[in-house]
Amino acid sequence: AKALDIDVMPDGRGLPSGSGTVAEGAKIYAAKCASCHGKNGEGATFDRLVATEAGKNFDFATNAKLPRAVGNYWPYATTLYDYTYRAMPFMQPGTLTPNETYSLVAYILALNKIVPEDAVMDAKTLPAVKMPARDRFVIDNRKGGKTVK
């Protein structure tokens, strides 16, 4: 069951041991990600990963030209780790090691100017990253109703 329990929560629970750097991530990105997401995360056959503009009022619903990307829309860096680890690369999901995933996340965050070029991501530093869009999302803290797991 532990092998299947690989999800990562926004607060970092579930992150594995390991670490990665921006420089290591750049190499992995060029080899495994650039063909789909563009050389610099600008998007190609698949989604754009790099964008910092979110509109004056987080105008994604009213401005179709505003791209949703890691730098301007994702609320948690840990979610980027979780999705990348479980779903990427698209044709070989689940093949990245924790170190490769930490490196890719470090690189993508650096491309978005969220972390510095010398950043090292691990189970302690990644949850501490404050994403630009974090405060734009409303936490669903409703009580009652059926619990779904």
Side-chain angles (χ1 to χ4, degrees):
K2 187 170 171 97
L4 295 176
D5 188 14
I6 60 169
D7 60 323
V8 176
M9 300 288 99
D11 65 5
R13 282 178 292 140
L15 281 168
S17 59
S19 67
T21 67
V22 174
E24 292 163 350
K27 294 175 196 168
I28 299 163
Y29 183 91
K32 298 185 178 189
C33 312
S35 63
C36 291
H37 293 289
K39 185 178 177 185
N40 298 303
E42 71 277 9
T45 54
F46 286 93
D47 291 342
R48 180 178 184 158
L49 300 176
V50 178
T52 56
E53 175 60 37
K56 185 176 180 184
N57 295 303
F58 206 60
D59 300 320
F60 292 99
T62 59
N63 184 350
K65 293 181 183 178
L66 202 55
R68 289 184 176 115
V70 171
N72 67 351
Y73 195 76
W74 287 50
Y76 299 99
T78 51
T79 307
L80 179 59
Y81 180 98
D82 180 65
Y83 184 77
T84 303
Y85 186 67
R86 291 192 290 135
M88 294 291 127
F90 181 70
M91 297 302 284
Q92 298 173 310
T95 60
L96 295 170
T97 68
N99 288 349
E100 287 174 320
T101 309
Y102 278 122
S103 297
L104 283 169
V105 168
Y107 179 66
I108 293 166
L109 292 173
L111 283 176
N112 281 283
K113 303 197 183 325
I114 296 169
V115 300
E117 294 289 326
D118 62 351
V120 177
M121 290 293 111
D122 58 31
K124 188 172 185 172
T125 58
L126 188 60
V129 172
K130 177 93 158 81
M131 298 296 282
R134 182 179 295 177
D135 295 336
R136 298 296 197 147
F137 286 82
V138 177
I139 294 174
D140 182 357
N141 60 1
R142 293 175 286 183
K143 304 285 186 224
K146 185 177 178 183
T147 300
V148 179
K149 288 192 176 199

